[in-house]
Amino acid sequence: MTTAADYSEKIPNNVELHEDRRLQRALESWQPNFLNWWESMGPALPTEDVYLRTAVNVGREGWAHFGHVAMKDYRWGIFLAERDRDRRIAFGEHKGEPPWQQVPGEYRAELQRLIVIQGDTEPASVEQQRNLGATAPSLYDLRNLFQVNVEEGRHLWAMVYLLHAYFGREGRAEAQELLHRHSGSQDAPRILGAFNEETPDWLSFFMFTYFTDRDGKYQLGTLKESAFDPLSRTCEFMLKEESHHMFVGTTGIDRVLERTAQLMVEHDTSEVAARGGIPLDVIQKYLNFHYSVSVDLFGGETSTNVANYFTAGLKGRWSEERRRDDHKLSDSSVMVDALTEDGQIGQTEVAALVGLNTDLRRAYTSDCQNGVSRWNRILAEAGLERRLRLPHIAFNRKVGVFAGIEATPGGEPIPAGEWQHRKGEWLPTDVDKTHVRSLMQPVHERGKIAAWIAPPRSGINGKPFDYDYVHLA
Ligand code: BYC
């Protein structure tokens, strides 16, 4: 298997696509549908070209190329990480066996389902972010938005390749459906809740890339363990691109906070809205919203689906190989978050296998906590007392055991009436959203930046902040 992509082909790839003419033709006939989708559902702001990273290789060094390209001519390619011929399945009932190069008949439906769910999120996020270009705070940010968008497009290609190559007619039909469902659509919505929410402003975008893309990191991390080798290798490479998306979120929120803190100190007030900044209360509410909808993406606290996926070898755990247990979990148990009989929030002991969604969600939460600690350092360094915090796991849940109750961000169960009355204290209200949107005036001039956000510490790929990252049409 070579690792360099062949760019003379219509679909750049490192999977020797030309050796399988049928597959190549099938993907080449999906390609115009993808491009139509990109034109009608992708970034709405007209551009001439954008300084973008394009994946060209999967090796350790120099996997990407940077340059100005017209977005519609972006080379969306198919890349699998290099095959490790010594690899063995690391968990479940097939532990120790060689990974599968084809889909075993008995796991076909489940694998297809996992790939479809993963694939569905990628174009969904592009749709959610479609209109953000019109209000970008700087050309640097605009470029980052487009970078995220084209790579989510490539991640869609990654899943479509698997569907076409390994799942026959049904796979091809599912690939078509991935372009048919749309974020927020009444008739054909995206599969998972968070991907039908709006991303109407840049604070939401940064929160989304911090919290929701981070679910992507953890889910891809579990699929990278899959016994189905092509899926594992695909996800391994996707994770490489994913880290930039989270960087955009982390540093985006850093910069919003820096600016807010600066205004608070300068004017000795927390009422920074009147000074053109985003108040900390509002930032906390956005954080509460995006964290809680992203936590829903981990599914129920207990799930027989996830137990079956693990035992079959389809989906492993985060850092599976570093865990010191039998990697089968048939005799172990774990405490998971639960509702007690009297309706209180507590924990209950369950078989470790059915608690695996909770296991993954906990790794995610502690990662999210790192972000919050980082942001709190920005507040502390500015000499401010206020701190941000992650809401409780039972707060604002629509999936899992807490879906049926209401709870405060502190984790106190409250009656539905009180929730209705008080939720505006914890989640963005229409007034908050309108204010945030009112700040979103585009700054499309080189080297300039909107007043509600601090400039980044450095530019992209060694370029300065005032580089001409985007040429608008
Ligand atoms: N919304 O047994 P349960 C990313 C359904 S993000 C709606 O607990 P399970 C990205 C569930 O399907 C990563 N429905 O679920 C980020 C099940 O339905 P059935 C995406 C939901 O299967 C940013 C039922 O409720 N990748 O890459 O253990 C930008 C019972 O649930 C939701 C993946 O998710 C929900 N939130 O876990 C771009 C990986 N949650 O069976 C990209 C693949 C659950 O009753 N997916 N349901 O019909 C999976 O591993 C699992 O399917 C889930 C759910 C973790 C999603």
Side-chain angles (χ1 to χ4, degrees):
M1 168 81 50
T2 60
T3 56
D6 184 348
Y7 270 80
S8 63
E9 293 200 35
K10 244 178 160 173
I11 303 169
N13 69 89
N14 73 346
V15 294
E16 314 283 0
L17 196 55
H18 61 270
E19 287 181 2
D20 186 340
R21 293 284 172 201
R22 250 186 91 191
L23 175 60
Q24 186 175 31
R25 271 200 304 275
L27 284 165
E28 283 178 1
S29 71
W30 185 81
Q31 192 172 34
N33 301 339
F34 168 81
L35 290 171
N36 283 340
W37 166 81
W38 178 264
E39 284 296 305
S40 60
M41 303 301 285
L45 186 75
T47 50
E48 230 164 68
D49 60 27
V50 183
Y51 185 68
L52 291 174
R53 166 174 93 175
T54 305
V56 290
N57 204 320
V58 295
R60 235 172 263 283
E61 282 151 41
W63 63 275
H65 164 83
F66 285 82
H68 279 98
V69 289
M71 266 197 292
K72 66 176 174 37
D73 299 330
Y74 189 77
R75 303 304 310 273
W76 285 279
I78 298 166
F79 298 96
L80 267 59
E82 258 170 290
R83 180 163 165 194
D84 171 3
R85 292 188 181 273
D86 298 327
R87 180 172 181 239
R88 290 290 174 270
I89 299 170
F91 63 95
E93 65 187 4
H94 301 289
K95 182 173 182 297
E97 296 171 17
W100 316 320
Q101 300 308 324
Q102 291 296 331
V103 178
E106 73 243 66
Y107 303 137
R108 194 178 178 83
E110 284 88 350
L111 269 173
Q112 184 175 306
R113 177 190 149 100
L114 286 170
I115 292 168
V116 165
I117 293 179
Q118 180 62 49
D120 192 67
T121 63
E122 315 290 1
S125 67
V126 175
E127 293 165 359
Q128 288 169 295
Q129 295 160 16
R130 168 168 170 75
N131 293 313
L132 287 174
T135 56
S138 72
L139 288 184
Y140 162 90
D141 290 290
L142 186 60
R143 177 265 166 207
N144 282 346
L145 167 72
F146 292 151
Q147 183 69 56
V148 169
N149 291 162
V150 291
E151 282 172 353
E152 300 301 8
R154 206 200 67 71
H155 291 180
L156 170 61
W157 269 98
M159 292 301 121
V160 164
Y161 165 70
L162 295 177
L163 290 170
H164 273 242
Y166 298 98
F167 294 89
R169 194 146 53 92
E170 261 185 66
R172 290 194 292 278
E174 289 288 5
Q176 214 37 51
E177 285 302 302
L178 289 171
L179 297 176
H180 175 68
R181 284 186 293 272
H182 293 316
S183 177
S185 154
Q186 289 292 326
D187 313 328
R190 292 296 176 183
I191 299 171
L192 300 177
F195 295 91
N196 289 302
E197 301 287 348
E198 286 189 338
T199 312
D201 58 68
W202 281 74
L203 181 58
S204 300
F205 173 63
F206 293 138
M207 291 287 175
F208 184 95
T209 42
Y210 187 84
F211 289 107
T212 308
D213 276 273
R214 194 166 306 271
D215 168 54
K217 166 182 164 184
Y218 281 85
Q219 298 293 348
L220 290 173
T222 66
L223 296 175
K224 178 174 81 89
E225 303 291 340
S226 183
F228 178 41
D229 209 37
L231 175 61
S232 162
R233 291 165 53 205
T234 303
C235 292
E236 188 176 333
F237 188 63
M238 288 163 75
L239 277 165
K240 229 176 188 160
E241 291 161 311
E242 201 64 31
S243 68
H244 173 71
H245 306 185
M246 288 177 292
F247 161 87
V248 169
T250 312
T251 55
I253 300 171
D254 283 356
R255 291 160 51 213
V256 175
L257 283 171
E258 274 169 36
R259 182 64 184 141
T260 295
Q262 200 181 29
L263 288 167
M264 285 173 77
V265 171
E266 203 173 297
H267 302 284
D268 192 22
T269 175
S270 55
E271 308 291 320
V272 296
R275 321 272 174 185
I278 306 180
L280 282 184
D281 285 341
V282 174
I283 296 173
Q284 177 69 64
K285 290 189 205 179
Y286 273 67
L287 185 161
N288 289 347
F289 173 75
H290 286 272
Y291 174 70
S292 56
V293 300
S294 301
V295 162
D296 273 344
L297 295 173
F298 290 84
E301 282 62 30
T302 59
S303 159
T304 49
N305 281 345
V306 78
N308 295 336
Y309 294 155
F310 183 83
T311 301
L314 312 183
K315 186 178 174 185
R317 287 172 294 173
W318 182 252
S319 298
E320 184 66 50
E321 270 132 289
R322 276 190 256 141
R323 307 251 187 159
R324 290 169 184 231
D325 52 33
D326 68 354
H327 300 274
K328 296 192 175 189
L329 304 178
S330 32
D331 301 321
S332 43
S333 61
V334 67
M335 299 299 288
V336 298
D337 308 290
L339 276 179
T340 58
E341 274 168 23
D342 55 354
Q344 295 304 302
I345 297 167
Q347 295 211 326
T348 187
E349 188 171 358
V350 299
L353 283 172
V354 297
L356 285 175
N357 282 346
T358 296
D359 181 78
L360 188 65
R361 196 276 298 157
R362 283 184 180 147
Y364 168 80
T365 294
S366 82
D367 196 354
C368 292
Q369 188 54 52
N370 292 336
V372 173
S373 305
R374 167 191 175 108
W375 301 324
N376 282 336
R377 276 197 298 278
I378 294 175
L379 298 177
E381 278 162 21
L384 298 168
E385 302 274 305
R386 255 305 287 280
R387 296 293 177 263
L388 296 172
R389 53 188 298 195
L390 288 182
H392 191 274
I393 197 64
F395 173 78
N396 193 36
R397 295 295 302 279
K398 303 282 183 282
V399 174
V401 285
F402 303 120
I405 66 153
E406 303 300 353
T408 65
E412 198 191 314
I414 51 170
E418 186 178 344
W419 168 261
Q420 278 310 326
H421 185 63
R422 295 187 63 191
K423 68 177 184 194
E425 292 172 34
W426 308 313
L427 291 170
T429 61
D430 287 343
V431 173
D432 299 327
K433 291 185 208 169
T434 306
H435 172 247
V436 170
R437 271 198 222 199
S438 75
L439 294 176
M440 303 289 138
Q441 301 303 326
V443 178
H444 288 162
E445 224 176 308
R446 244 176 109 162
K448 296 272 168 63
I449 186 142
W452 55 270
I453 185 168
R457 298 225 184 290
S458 48
I460 291 296
N461 193 34
K463 304 286 184 218
F465 171 66
D466 64 4
Y467 186 64
D468 56 343
Y469 289 108
V470 181
H471 295 121
L472 296 172

